[in-house]
Amino acid sequence: MIRFDNVTKSFPDGTEALKGISLVLPARQLTAIIGPSGCGKTTLMKMINKLEKPTGGTISIDGKPIMELDEIELRRSIGYVIQRIGLFPHMTIADNVSLVPRLLGWKNERIDMRIRELLQLTGLDPETYLHRYPLELSGGQQQRVGVVRALAGDPNIILMDEPFSALDPISREQLQDELQNLQQSIQKTIVFVTHDMDEALKIADTIIVMRNGQVEQIGTPQQLVAEPANDFVRNFIGTERISRQRTFSEKKLKEFIPLFERDWRGDAQKVSSDTSIGEAVDQLAESTHDHLAITENGHVIAYASERELLKAALHKEVGASL
């Protein structure tokens, strides 16, 4: 858990980048920080690994104030993915990804296993890509390698600073999907800065909306769309997105089956595929189970968690893509 207590940040020119920020970033979830340019979102994220230091207040990780932690050790323990990727062009993909594990003193066998595992998780065949150089890869492939490098040392926290914003729309959407699937497997604490509301609504468990160095609202994607805190949040989300969410909430589960899980092994509450997304969300909220088992003609055809139901309700192009 990452905690900010009354954190402020002022620069020498008098700019107040952050004004008394107090919030908690939940562990093992993806939190998106969003807002207009200059709102303080990147400054807030960079304080977690001490790339920026607060003027006042306290930041703590798992109860330990970060200003008391060794700066180098802290940064080695946190993954970091940036828009420009930052791969070393003269080093192979294997050498780029192994940097932090080697600094941490890992043995070669462990490093090799970790790299291969992560490349496979992000859709890159190890035998194909391990010995290539960054310039031999597409932008999307390089960004995947950037994610792998951030995960290589098995950090509990990963910071992502607008990592997909420079990519073409198709690559960007593919990487958003990859990140969602990856997070379901690794369950890390991810802090993701973006200026794209559609991206935040799609990938985040929690969204922090900022303006002028302050937090305007914190909530799940569903909460922000259903109950924007003020006119700024409502306008930033956009009336079109709000209307879209309400429309999709009325659609039936059977229209979204490809978005849901097929091999859930735990207990689940059964619900008909003719149930609407909105009704399904309400039923799951009242249930003691974490998943719904979606049935058709008496047979279970898919499973859906609350996260997947909300993503379906917010998915902007699902009707066209299925």
Side-chain angles (χ1 to χ4, degrees), residues 10 39 50-51 69 132 140 230 247 251 269 320-321:
S10 297
C39 71
K50 296 171 76 171
L51 286 176
L69 302 177
R132 289 190 179 181
N230 52 42
T247 299
K251 289 185 176 288
Q269 178 176 322
S321 62

Side-chain angles (χ1 to χ4, degrees), residues 64-80:
K64 300 176 182 178
I66 65 170
M67 297 308 292
E68 298 177 7
L69 302 177
D70 179 81
E71 194 169 276
I72 294 176
E73 290 184 6
L74 174 68
R75 290 177 185 166
R76 287 180 183 173
S77 70
I78 296 176
Y80 193 32

Side-chain angles (χ1 to χ4, degrees), residues 95-317:
D95 289 337
N96 266 282
V97 174
S98 66
L99 282 173
V100 171
R102 293 193 189 286
L103 289 171
L104 294 174
W106 288 20
K107 294 182 178 180
N108 289 338
E109 182 179 352
R110 183 184 178 189
I111 292 173
D112 184 63
M113 288 179 60
R114 179 67 174 167
I115 294 173
R116 290 175 179 275
E117 173 192 16
L118 291 172
L119 286 173
Q120 288 173 340
L121 279 174
T122 53
L124 297 173
D125 175 48
E127 300 306 322
T128 301
Y129 293 99
L130 271 175
H131 303 296
R132 289 190 179 181
Y133 290 86
L135 293 179
E136 298 178 275
L137 277 57
S138 69
Q141 290 168 340
Q142 288 185 43
Q143 199 58 272
R144 281 181 169 86
V145 174
V147 173
V148 169
R149 184 175 63 180
L151 291 167
D154 200 21
N156 291 323
I157 298 170
I158 302 158
L159 309 180
M160 307 186 79
D161 190 4
E162 303 207 37
F164 308 148
S165 61
L167 300 176
D168 64 87
I170 294 176
S171 296
R172 184 170 188 163
E173 186 162 350
Q174 288 175 341
L175 279 172
Q176 290 167 355
D177 293 337
E178 291 283 353
L179 181 60
Q180 285 181 281
N181 295 333
L182 185 64
Q183 175 65 347
Q184 288 183 0
S185 301
I186 62 176
Q187 295 290 293
K188 300 292 185 180
T189 302
I190 300 178
V191 183
F192 191 107
V193 168
T194 180
H195 64 271
D196 185 327
M197 180 57 77
D198 283 324
E199 183 167 70
L201 291 171
K202 179 178 179 179
I203 67 173
D205 298 296
T206 300
I207 299 175
I208 299 170
V209 182
M210 294 186 66
R211 175 174 61 159
N212 296 331
Q214 297 177 307
V215 173
E216 293 289 331
Q217 187 171 358
I218 301 175
T220 65
Q222 179 79 356
Q223 288 169 337
L224 262 65
V225 172
E227 301 175 6
N230 52 42
D231 287 342
F232 171 79
V233 176
R234 185 177 295 105
N235 291 333
F236 199 77
I237 294 172
T239 55
E240 186 271 336
R241 290 188 185 92
I242 293 173
S243 297
R244 185 174 68 217
Q245 184 270 341
R246 290 171 179 165
T247 299
F248 278 113
S249 289
E250 297 171 0
K251 289 185 176 288
K252 308 297 185 184
L253 288 172
K254 61 186 176 184
E255 299 179 54
F256 299 85
I257 296 303
L259 297 180
F260 302 144
E261 299 177 55
R262 299 301 178 93
D263 57 355
W264 173 252
R265 300 186 184 278
D267 293 332
Q269 178 176 322
K270 290 186 177 180
V271 63
S272 169
S273 63
D274 287 319
T275 304
S276 73
I277 290 288
E279 291 171 335
V281 170
D282 291 339
Q283 288 189 37
L284 188 57
E286 296 173 0
S287 172
T288 58
H289 302 304
D290 294 329
H291 283 68
L292 293 178
I294 303 168
T295 63
E296 197 167 89
N297 298 323
H299 300 286
V300 176
I301 58 173
Y303 298 88
S305 65
E306 180 183 25
R307 177 188 177 93
E308 290 162 337
L309 291 172
L310 296 180
K311 297 305 177 194
L314 292 163
H315 203 290
K316 67 176 179 178
E317 295 178 345

